Every structure is written in structure tokens, then in C-alpha cells.
Amino acid sequence: MRGAVLGLALFLAACGGDGTVAAAPAPQLLVASADEGTITLEEMTVPARKRVLVEGYGATRAPALHHEGKRYCFLARSAGPDAPWGLYVADLSGTTPQPIDADVDAASTPAWLPDGRIVFDAPADDASRALFVVDPEDGQAERITFGGPDARDPCVLEDGRILYAGSRTTSEGEAAPGLFTLHPDGTGVLLFHGVTPGEAYLRPTQQFDGHVRFFVRRGEAVLAFLADWRAPHTEAASHDARLERDRC
């Protein structure tokens, strides 16, 4: 059994003429295996074909494709439940993954920024989770969210802003979760959707049609929504959301 598929399963667009991604109509998937410690490139053909890009790790997760379609990053660790997670960069030609020398133990959800840096969430010094940006070339990670509850699950929108799940503290001192956007330098924080006490917002991702898909946990139910990423940081976002009635 291949095990649970973690992170992102990404449709890859055809790119260039170097053969790293076939310019064929069949889409492809970049898949991380939780129990095999591999990253595979899988063609959605009949019969299905796949090529192992990375192997030999204890576990892998959260592969993210660079917007140029040639490089990707992912999280991996060696065998053993207490082994730390590391952030790696490789390309689709199958080259040896290069570790990024940043303190990213317990990091989650890496995503590429337009300038080639990577945003991810990880534990911060104040015991919260925060967003960090790292340059793969020098491994210097910079924290970009401060002064509030957890920030997690970043994704990068078409205009280069970062969308993430976080929360604000109400005037009554209650945490109100929601989705927020900010610029890669940490400025310009705006509300995208929410905020609603008692709910949890999870895993926002931008779809190929431009909509943002995200999950909301309400009690025991986990529901999926779609919203227009261009919606202002007001209730217009929730007015445009369409309930899909599925669960994650």
C-alpha cells in the first residue's frame, strides 16, 4: 500500500522543450508518499505511468512546484519518529535534492513565491506558529507574521500575495479564526474570509480557475468552500462562496 498522500498533488503544466515534463495533453501529479519516503511524478494516462524522483527518506510530504514548472520543494526526514523534518529543493529531471539550511523542524505547507523564495509555517520562539520566508540559495529564514495567534497553511495567489489561515482577537478577547492575506515582506495584512469564533479555517489553495478552495471545521463537520480570490477583505468573500458539501 502506498499509504496516505500528503501535501499537494499538483497538476503540472507542460514546460519548455527539455523533456523534464512531457508536453502531452495528459496531466501529471507530483506525489509524496507518507510511508515510502518517495516523491513520484505520475502521469494520468491509461495505463498510468509514474517515475520516482526522490527515494531513500523515512517520510516525505508537502511537495510544491515552482511556477516555472521545473523545480519543486518538499519536506522530508530520515527514518525514526523523532527525526527532524528538513526542507529540500530539487528539479523534475531527477537531480539529487539539495537541503535548505534553515531551522524548519515541524515546518508545514511550503509554497513558492514569484521571486523564487519559499514561504512556510513553523513553530516560532513565542510558542505560536508563524509564517517564514526563506531564500533557497542562502537558507536564511525570515519571520513575517507577529503579534497574534497561529498563522499556518500559506498559499501564494496570482498577484503574489500570501493567503493563510490565522485568527484575530475580538474586543471580548476571543480568538476569531479566518483567512488573511499579506505581502511577502509581512506588510498589508487584510481579512479575506471570516472571522467566526468557534470555527477553524484549513488549507486554502488557489484552483486553476482562479477560485480559492478552503475548508472550514464546524463542530464535527469539515466543509469545503470556493471563493473568488479577488473578493475584497469584507463579507463579499462569503457572499460569493459556494458550499460544495464534501468533507476532507
Side-chain angles (χ1 to χ4, degrees):
M1 184 180 73
R2 187 175 67 188
V5 175
L6 296 182
L8 301 179
L10 297 172
F11 287 95
L12 308 187
C15 64
D18 58 4
T20 58
V21 177
Q28 298 175 308
L29 297 172
L30 193 61
V31 179
S33 172
D35 55 1
E36 294 181 358
T38 61
I39 302 287
T40 57
L41 184 65
E42 303 187 5
E43 294 185 8
M44 298 179 64
T45 57
V46 180
R49 294 177 293 180
K50 70 177 183 179
R51 177 164 58 96
V52 177
L53 299 175
V54 171
E55 58 185 342
Y57 294 94
T60 57
R61 69 183 187 192
L65 183 71
H66 189 275
H67 62 277
E68 293 179 349
K70 297 181 181 181
R71 292 188 296 164
Y72 64 97
C73 64
F74 65 97
L75 298 169
R77 68 181 182 187
S78 58
D82 297 326
W85 288 94
L87 181 60
Y88 295 81
V89 172
D91 63 56
L92 294 178
S93 66
T95 58
T96 301
Q98 299 299 312
I100 297 177
D101 295 327
D103 184 9
V104 294
D105 188 20
S108 180
T109 327
W112 291 92
L113 292 166
D115 62 6
R117 294 181 297 164
I118 297 170
V119 59
F120 60 92
D121 71 78
D125 294 338
D126 56 6
S128 67
R129 291 193 74 87
L131 300 189
F132 296 81
V133 170
V134 63
D135 185 338
E137 299 301 323
D138 61 23
Q140 298 298 311
E142 177 186 2
R143 182 177 176 178
I144 61 171
T145 59
F146 298 90
D150 290 351
R152 60 179 67 236
D153 295 347
C155 75
V156 180
L157 299 175
E158 290 180 16
D159 62 359
R161 289 179 300 153
I162 299 167
L163 175 67
Y164 66 97
S167 63
R168 286 182 175 174
T169 303
T170 67
S171 57
E172 292 78 21
E174 186 176 11
L179 297 179
F180 302 86
T181 61
L182 82 168
H183 299 297
D185 63 359
T187 63
V189 177
L190 296 174
L191 172 65
F192 176 80
H193 185 85
V195 286
T196 308
E199 295 184 342
Y201 288 75
L202 311 167
R203 303 204 304 273
T205 56
Q206 187 162 24
Q207 307 297 291
F208 294 101
D209 64 359
H211 284 89
V212 170
R213 178 187 176 99
F214 60 94
F215 297 92
V216 178
R217 179 181 291 120
R218 293 175 176 170
E220 297 182 356
V222 180
L223 305 175
F225 288 81
L226 291 175
D228 188 340
W229 74 277
R230 293 171 295 268
H233 56 288
T234 65
E235 288 304 311
S238 62
H239 294 162
D240 293 339
R242 303 194 301 273
L243 179 61
E244 292 188 320
R245 296 183 181 276
D246 65 352
R247 296 171 181 264
C248 66

